[in-house]
Amino acid sequence: MQIEELDPTDPAARRAWHDVTERSVRADRPHALTTTFEAFEVLATSPSEHVARTWLQAVVGGEVVGTADLELPLTENTDVAWTEVAVLPGHRRGGVGRALWVAVAERARAAGRRRVGGEVTVDLEAPGPGLDFAAAVGAVEKHHEDHLLADLPVAAAPLDPAYEVVSRRGRCPDEHRAAYLAMRNQMNLDVSSGELELEVAVLDDARLASSEERLMRSYDVRVAAARRRSDGVFGGYSLLFVPHGADYGWQDDTLVMPEHRGHRLGAALKAVNYACLPDDVRLVHTWTAPTNAAMHRTNTALGFRVVERMAEVEVTL
Ligand SMILES: CC(C)(COP(=O)(O)OP(=O)(O)OC[C@H]1O[C@@H](n2cnc3c(N)ncnc32)[C@H](O)[C@@H]1OP(=O)(O)O)[C@@H](O)C(=O)NCCC(=O)NCCS
């Protein structure tokens, strides 16, 4: 077995890397949300100024049998690396996963990183080998969230009449950017990450613009924001991604600013976003920490059900 770096300029190699990752992850996780090939193509072919990415592959007899990605944050959290390792079912328990991990750790160390983090998600009905593997390479759990799914349409969630919803697709228009940036940065401060010690990224206009531009190449980006009718102040937003061509969406941030809490704006914003989706989008994924009681209740009331448990784990190098 050989561990190689993917040549990101080779389209067939990119296709094989993505295909093996997809098949390996799906083998144990029927509800997994994976990166679409189109979104992977954007990551692999247009480098980000904030994250350096490398893709590794384990090759046996000329065939790729396992993969790992390595992400090195460049702007904040420069002591951390991120990875995910995946091995095809027919090639497991033979040391492929461990060899990929060793290659990841070597590269992370060489880049001056002190710890490697990753997400290990397991199905609730039939947990696969992910957590045993993580423990075997010395990973410790720092945080966990539930992965939930809802079939559309969801239950109704009326909007408090003191507010109106401003919906958009794609880039945030100039007149709303300052308010949107304030909410995005509040979200980054509020979101719980358990015992994970991470610096919070601060979004400014330029960083928001570059992230919008990259995301729009892979996703239909939908934002619903609540604006108080009396003074025009924005009280919250909800962000949803639909991969191009997919029949599912993926619920990202939902934030209600502190002085606007208690009006059930979170549920109303999500419901508006889902109601505006094309008919062929049938399913929404989301993640919530079980300790975030307010959001967990909001989600289950809308019809979300827990299908997987996602652990954020970390290895100290
Ligand atoms: C987890 C995964 C990458 C392991 O790949 P692998 O090639 O089978 O791993 P290895 O053979 O190198 O195993 C290394 C150690 O992990 C542990 N391990 C792996 N699979 C295990 C299982 N099914 N049960 C118990 N322990 C297991 C063992 O300690 C093993 O060492 P050993 O075989 O000497 O006992 C593979 O099962 C997979 O792709 N799963 C789906 C994706 C995933 O969960 N990735 C982990 C998140 S990053």
Side-chain angles (χ1 to χ4, degrees), residues 96-282:
V96 175
R98 199 184 281 278
L100 284 162
W101 161 251
V102 168
V104 162
E106 265 168 17
R107 283 166 174 76
R109 243 185 238 109
R113 309 292 155 140
R114 291 190 301 105
R115 45 199 180 121
V116 181
E119 293 179 354
V120 181
T121 306
V122 296
D123 193 83
L124 282 196
E125 305 271 310
L131 287 171
D132 285 324
F133 173 74
V137 301
V140 175
E141 183 172 319
K142 296 286 183 176
H143 180 58
H144 73 268
E145 295 194 356
D146 288 333
H147 171 202
L148 303 95
L149 283 183
D151 296 310
L152 298 183
V154 295
L159 176 68
D160 185 316
Y163 291 83
E164 62 186 339
V165 173
V166 180
S167 294
R168 70 159 197 274
R169 291 173 66 187
R171 185 184 176 280
C172 180
D174 291 345
E175 67 268 31
H176 296 153
R177 283 181 93 77
Y180 185 54
L181 276 168
M183 292 194 287
R184 289 288 300 262
N185 284 318
Q186 177 77 36
M187 174 80 199
N188 289 343
L189 288 174
D190 278 7
V191 73
S192 157
S193 52
E195 293 164 34
L196 276 175
E197 284 174 30
L198 295 174
E199 285 170 73
V200 170
V202 178
L203 273 188
D204 58 14
D205 196 73
R207 194 159 171 185
L208 173 64
S210 99
S211 133
E212 286 177 327
E213 190 274 322
R214 287 176 70 83
L215 286 166
M216 282 161 56
R217 284 199 257 157
S218 308
Y219 304 102
D220 176 7
V221 178
R222 291 167 172 263
V223 178
R227 183 162 62 186
R228 194 158 52 199
R229 290 180 192 274
S230 60
D231 55 7
V233 171
F234 278 97
Y237 75 100
S238 186
L239 174 58
L240 177 74
F241 298 106
V242 181
H244 294 151
D247 59 0
Y248 60 86
W250 145 45
Q251 174 68 59
D252 200 35
D253 299 356
T254 299
L255 171 85
V256 179
M257 295 293 265
E259 63 158 309
H260 300 263
R261 291 184 185 162
H263 299 271
R264 300 194 184 273
L265 290 179
L269 290 170
K270 289 184 179 188
V272 168
N273 256 342
Y274 305 161
C276 296
L277 288 170
D279 287 344
D280 54 343
V281 178
R282 306 305 313 148

Side-chain angles (χ1 to χ4, degrees), residues 21 24-29 67 83-89 91-100 118-122 128-137 313:
T21 306
S24 303
V25 170
R26 289 256 166 244
D28 316 282
R29 296 179 45 210
T67 63
T83 193
E84 247 169 81
V85 179
V87 177
L88 286 174
H91 294 269
R92 292 182 183 173
R93 293 315 288 271
V96 175
R98 199 184 281 278
L100 284 162
E119 293 179 354
V120 181
T121 306
V122 296
L131 287 171
D132 285 324
F133 173 74
V137 301
V313 303

